[in-house]
Amino acid sequence: MPGLLHMPYEVLLSIMEDFDFVDVANLALTCKDLKFLVVEERICKPITKARFSSEAKSAVLTGGGYARALRSIAKRREALATVSPFTVTTIGYCHTYIYCKGVLCYTLDNRIRILNLHGSGHDELVISIRQLLMVSGIQNYTKRTFEILYCSKEVVSCLSRSLNPDDQTLWLIVFGINGVDLLVEEFVSTHIFVRHNEKFLYVGIDSGVDTSSWVVQGYDLTTQKQFPQKVDLPDVVGSVVGTTVCFEIHGSYFYALSTRDIMDTMDYESYYCCFRFPLDSPSNELLEQTEMWRRRHEEGPIDERQTILRLDEDETTGKLMIIECRLEWLQGQRRQRTYYATEIIWLEDKSETSSISSRSQNGFEQTEPPQRLPENTHPDNGFLIHTIRVQSYQTLCATFLDLFDDTAGTQMLRLHACSRQPKPPLENTSGVLRAPSETLETALKELYREDISFWPKSLDTAESEELLRLLNPPMYSGDVQGIADERSMVYVTGSKDKPRQLIFVGFDATIRLRGVKRWGETGKYFEGSISIDRKGKRKDILERGADMQVSRGEILIDVQEETAMYRNMCLGYNFGRAPASDL
C-alpha cells in the first residue's frame, strides 16, 4: 500500500482507469489515505465503468458529480448483493398496480395514483377513473373493468374491458401526466400489450388466427396519428409476456423476443427469435430478424411457470442482452434454477434472416451447439423455489434476489440473495496463470464463490420481529405479487377481495422518501392519518396541490396533486446514513 500512496498522481490516475468501479470503491475502504479515490472527480470520471447506469448518465448530462455517481453505484451493488435495503416502507393500499421505470401507478377508490419512487417523490398525481372513461367516450363505463398497462416517460396507458365475457372489445386509453393529449383506440383481442416512450406508442394484439402470433400497431404521440402499416410478427410464438415472449423499446428500435419459433417442432435445438424495426418507420420491409442458440431439448424439461424472460441494457457495456432465468431438470435428474445472458447479434446481410439461413450462418445447424460461457451462466443450487413469491436477477452484481415465505403456516416474508464473487486468478502447480476448465460446471466452481444472505438475518431477536412486521403487515397476508427492477422491489400482500397493502423495498441510497424515519431514531414522524374502510375508500388528511389539466380538443381531465399516501402512514424505515453522509 505505501507504494501506491507514493505514486505520482498521473501514474495513479492511469492505473485507476483500468480498475473496475467496485474494486476502486473497495480499495478506498482499506485505508483512510485512499478515500480520495472515491472523492476526486478526475479519478472517478474514467472509472465509472457502469456508464450506462442512470447514475453515470446523470453525471454526464450535468457535466459533474462522477465521484458521487461512483459511490452511489457501488453502494447499490453492495446492497443488492448482500440484500441490505436502504428503505423498507408501506407505500399505500391498492386494488391494482404496475411498477415501470421506477414509477408506481396504482388504483384505489376509483382513482389512479402516480408516484415517482426512483425520484423520491413525496406527492402523487391523482386522476379520476370515472371521469377518464367518460371523457374518452366509452359507453356503459360502469359495467367495465379498468387496469393500468404501462407507464414510461410521463405517459400512462390504460385498458378497459367489458364485464360481459362474450364482449372482447378493448378500449385503450393513453394520457400524459403533464399535458400530453389523450389517445383512445378500440381493439378486439384476447391478448394485448403496450410499450411506449414520450414520442411513440406500440400496441401488440394477437393475430386472430393464432393467439401465439402478434400484430403490432404503432402511433406517433406527437401528432396523435396512427402509422399506416402494421407489423406482423408471425414467428414470435408465445402469449405469456415476460415468460415465453417479451417486448421492449430500446434506443430508436422496437424489439420483440420469443423463446420459441416455428422450427421448434422439427429441431432438437431451441433458439431465441428476435425482431426489431425502427420506431419512426414501422413496416414489414424494415423488419430485421435474428436468432441465437438457447438450449438443447435433451438437457431436460423446464417449468415455464418459473421462467423470467426480459431484454436488459447492460449497465457497463450498454448492449441489449437477453436475460432468462429458468427452472430446469437437467438431464431429467436434479432441479436447478439458472440465469443465462445472451448477447443479441444481428446479421449484416438482411437476405439471410430466415430461420434456416440464420442458423446455418451461425454454424448451429447439425453441429454441436456453442459452448456456454461461465460469465453468462449462473446456477442457483438448492434454494426452495416453491417458497419464492417474487424473484429477480440483478445483473450488476450477479445476484438472485428473491422475496420468499419462510414458513408453511403463518406468512413470514423475508428477502434472500444468492450472489457470486470472482475467486483469485487460477494458477497451475508451477504458479503460472492458467485458463479455467473447458467443462462449464468445473469452470464455475473454479472461477466463483457463492454468498447467501437473508434479510432480516435472523428470526429470534426483537429487531428482526420489527423488521418482519414491515415485510408482513398485520391483517394483510396472502396473494403476494410483485416486481423488482435494478434498484428496488414493490409487492402487494393481502386478500384480493379488498385493497391490498403496497410495500416498497429500496436498494438505492439516493432514494429518500420524505417522512420515513431512520432506523434506530426516536421521535414522531407522522404527517397525517389514514385508514381504509370495508369498501376500500380512503379516509385521510391530504395536502391539496394545484390542479393541472390534460386536454384533448375541448375535453378536460383534472389531474390533482396530493400528498403521497406513505407520508400519512409512516410505516417504514430508512436504514441508510443521515442526509449529510458521504453520498
Side-chain angles (χ1 to χ4, degrees):
M1 199 66 70
L4 187 63
L5 291 173
H6 289 88
M7 283 184 177
Y9 183 83
E10 291 75 12
V11 175
L12 182 61
L13 183 64
S14 178
I15 294 174
M16 291 297 105
E17 289 181 358
D18 294 327
F19 273 44
D20 184 85
F21 71 95
V22 177
D23 296 328
V24 176
N26 290 335
L27 187 60
L29 294 174
T30 62
C31 173
K32 65 178 182 180
D33 292 328
L34 290 176
K35 187 177 180 179
F36 74 94
L37 293 176
V38 293
V39 177
E40 172 59 50
E41 285 284 291
R42 283 191 63 191
I43 292 180
C44 293
K45 181 177 180 178
I47 61 176
T48 307
K49 296 297 179 63
R51 61 184 183 276
F52 293 94
S53 64
S54 62
E55 295 94 338
K57 289 178 180 178
S58 178
V60 171
L61 186 65
T62 58
Y66 296 100
R68 180 185 176 90
L70 183 143
R71 297 194 301 271
S72 297
I73 299 169
K75 287 187 175 183
R76 173 163 62 92
R77 183 188 184 281
E78 180 70 12
L80 289 166
T82 62
V83 68
S84 303
F86 286 100
T87 304
V88 179
T89 189
T90 293
I91 291 298
Y93 302 94
C94 72
H95 293 293
T96 63
Y97 83 101
I98 63 166
Y99 187 49
C100 296
K101 318 291 185 182
V103 176
L104 175 67
C105 301
Y106 62 104
T107 62
L108 179 68
D109 191 19
N110 291 317
R111 295 190 294 176
I112 304 171
R113 307 188 68 87
I114 303 171
L115 175 64
N116 185 349
L117 286 170
H118 282 190
S120 303
H122 52 83
D123 292 323
E124 296 176 328
L125 298 181
V126 184
I127 299 100
S128 167
I129 295 175
R130 178 173 295 182
Q131 185 190 33
L132 185 63
L133 293 176
M134 287 179 61
V135 300
S136 299
I138 298 177
Q139 302 297 321
N140 299 321
Y141 60 85
T142 60
K143 298 181 180 180
R144 305 187 67 87
T145 64
F146 182 87
E147 61 181 303
I148 307 171
L149 290 182
Y150 197 69
C151 177
S152 176
K153 302 294 185 179
E154 299 187 340
V155 178
V156 181
S157 303
C158 307
L159 190 70
S160 179
R161 302 174 184 265
S162 172
L163 292 173
N164 183 355
D166 297 327
D167 184 0
Q168 295 186 356
T169 303
L170 307 176
W171 285 95
L172 176 67
I173 308 164
V174 183
F175 64 92
I177 64 176
N178 289 326
V180 178
D181 289 340
L182 281 170
L183 176 69
V184 181
E185 291 291 336
E186 181 182 359
F187 297 92
V188 177
S189 177
T190 55
H191 298 87
I192 186 171
F193 72 84
V194 174
R195 296 291 183 270
H196 57 71
N197 56 21
E198 71 277 19
K199 295 181 179 179
F200 302 101
L201 178 141
Y202 284 90
V203 182
I205 62 173
D206 60 76
S207 64
V209 177
D210 183 351
T211 57
S212 294
S213 297
W214 296 87
V215 177
V216 180
Q217 175 66 64
Y219 298 84
D220 186 332
L221 292 178
T222 60
T223 62
Q224 293 187 341
K225 292 183 178 180
Q226 175 179 310
F227 286 109
Q229 186 177 143
K230 297 180 180 179
V231 180
D232 297 311
L233 303 175
D235 292 348
V236 179
V237 180
S239 59
V240 184
V241 178
T243 297
T244 58
V245 64
C246 70
F247 307 93
E248 291 296 341
I249 288 176
H250 177 69
S252 58
Y253 284 89
F254 176 91
Y255 290 82
L257 174 70
S258 175
T259 59
R260 301 174 179 174
D261 57 60
I262 58 176
M263 299 294 290
D264 268 355
T265 58
M266 302 172 59
D267 281 349
Y268 295 102
E269 312 283 350
S270 175
Y271 295 82
Y272 295 110
C273 186
C274 190
F275 294 84
R276 74 174 181 182
F277 57 82
L279 289 174
D280 58 356
S281 303
S283 67
N284 291 307
E285 292 74 22
L286 296 178
L287 184 67
E288 298 179 76
Q289 176 182 349
T290 188
E291 293 187 354
M292 284 68 59
W293 181 78
R294 180 180 177 237
R295 72 190 302 269
R296 275 195 162 176
H297 299 314
E298 66 183 23
E299 291 182 75
I302 301 175
D303 185 350
E304 288 189 344
R305 297 171 300 176
Q306 305 293 338
T307 299
I308 297 176
L309 181 69
R310 69 178 193 260
L311 287 166
D312 269 7
E313 180 186 43
D314 189 290
E315 291 191 62
T316 58
T317 66
K319 295 180 180 178
L320 192 63
M321 303 290 290
I322 300 171
I323 305 298
E324 184 179 12
C325 182
R326 54 181 183 254
L327 183 63
E328 305 167 298
W329 278 262
L330 297 179
Q331 310 305 323
Q333 298 178 356
R334 58 189 178 89
R335 186 175 66 168
Q336 178 175 286
R337 181 174 60 157
T338 308
Y339 144 85
Y340 299 95
T342 305
E343 182 181 350
I344 301 176
I345 301 175
W346 296 98
L347 300 177
E348 295 182 0
D349 186 353
K350 295 183 180 179
S351 66
E352 297 183 354
T353 58
S354 67
S355 297
I356 296 179
S357 62
S358 175
R359 296 176 187 184
S360 178
Q361 175 81 7
N362 288 284
F364 300 158
E365 193 171 334
Q366 296 181 348
T367 66
E368 287 297 317
Q371 185 176 4
R372 290 195 177 103
L373 300 176
E375 58 267 30
N376 293 334
T377 309
H378 185 180
D380 174 26
N381 300 301
F383 193 70
L384 299 178
I385 190 69
H386 65 274
T387 69
I388 295 177
R389 300 296 176 259
V390 182
Q391 64 170 324
S392 68
Y393 189 85
Q394 303 292 332
T395 56
L396 180 67
C397 51
T399 300
F400 289 93
L401 179 65
D402 306 310
L403 179 74
F404 74 104
D405 195 342
D406 202 19
T407 64
T410 304
Q411 178 175 295
M412 188 179 291
L413 300 175
R414 296 174 70 195
L415 294 167
H416 160 265
C418 174
S419 63
R420 69 178 187 185
Q421 306 296 332
K423 291 181 178 179
L426 300 173
E427 298 180 351
N428 59 22
T429 55
S430 302
V432 179
L433 295 179
R434 67 171 180 86
S437 170
E438 294 184 358
T439 304
L440 178 62
E441 188 172 352
T442 303
L444 289 171
K445 293 179 181 178
E446 291 177 334
L447 293 172
Y448 304 103
R449 63 174 175 83
E450 282 195 348
D451 294 326
I452 306 296
S453 305
F454 295 91
W455 195 91
K457 300 185 183 301
S458 64
L459 298 176
D460 54 359
T461 65
E463 177 181 296
S464 63
E465 183 177 345
E466 186 165 2
L467 298 179
L468 287 170
R469 278 199 297 269
L470 295 179
L471 299 176
N472 303 272
M475 301 174 63
Y476 289 88
S477 62
D479 294 319
V480 179
Q481 297 174 333
I483 187 170
D485 58 23
E486 77 283 358
R487 62 193 66 238
S488 58
M489 177 186 292
V490 170
Y491 68 93
V492 292
T493 178
S495 176
K496 291 183 179 180
D497 59 357
K498 58 183 180 181
R500 294 187 284 175
Q501 200 153 333
L502 268 166
I503 312 295
F504 172 74
V505 182
F507 297 91
D508 183 348
T510 65
I511 299 177
R512 297 188 181 276
L513 301 182
R514 182 178 296 184
V516 177
K517 56 187 174 184
R518 283 190 293 278
W519 178 255
E521 289 191 357
T522 59
K524 295 182 178 180
Y525 288 78
F526 289 90
E527 300 186 6
S529 61
I530 183 169
S531 63
I532 299 294
D533 67 13
R534 292 182 180 179
K535 295 182 180 180
K537 294 185 179 296
R538 175 182 171 187
K539 302 174 181 178
D540 59 353
I541 302 171
L542 294 172
E543 296 176 4
R544 178 69 177 272
D547 290 355
M548 294 175 285
Q549 301 289 330
V550 178
S551 63
R552 180 177 182 253
E554 297 180 355
I555 299 174
L556 298 178
I557 295 177
D558 290 331
V559 181
Q560 302 175 2
E561 189 176 71
E562 298 181 352
T563 302
M565 197 182 300
Y566 73 84
R567 290 173 58 188
N568 296 314
M569 301 174 70
C570 232
L571 299 175
Y573 291 98
N574 183 292
F575 300 92
R577 296 184 181 181
S581 68
D582 63 344
L583 276 175

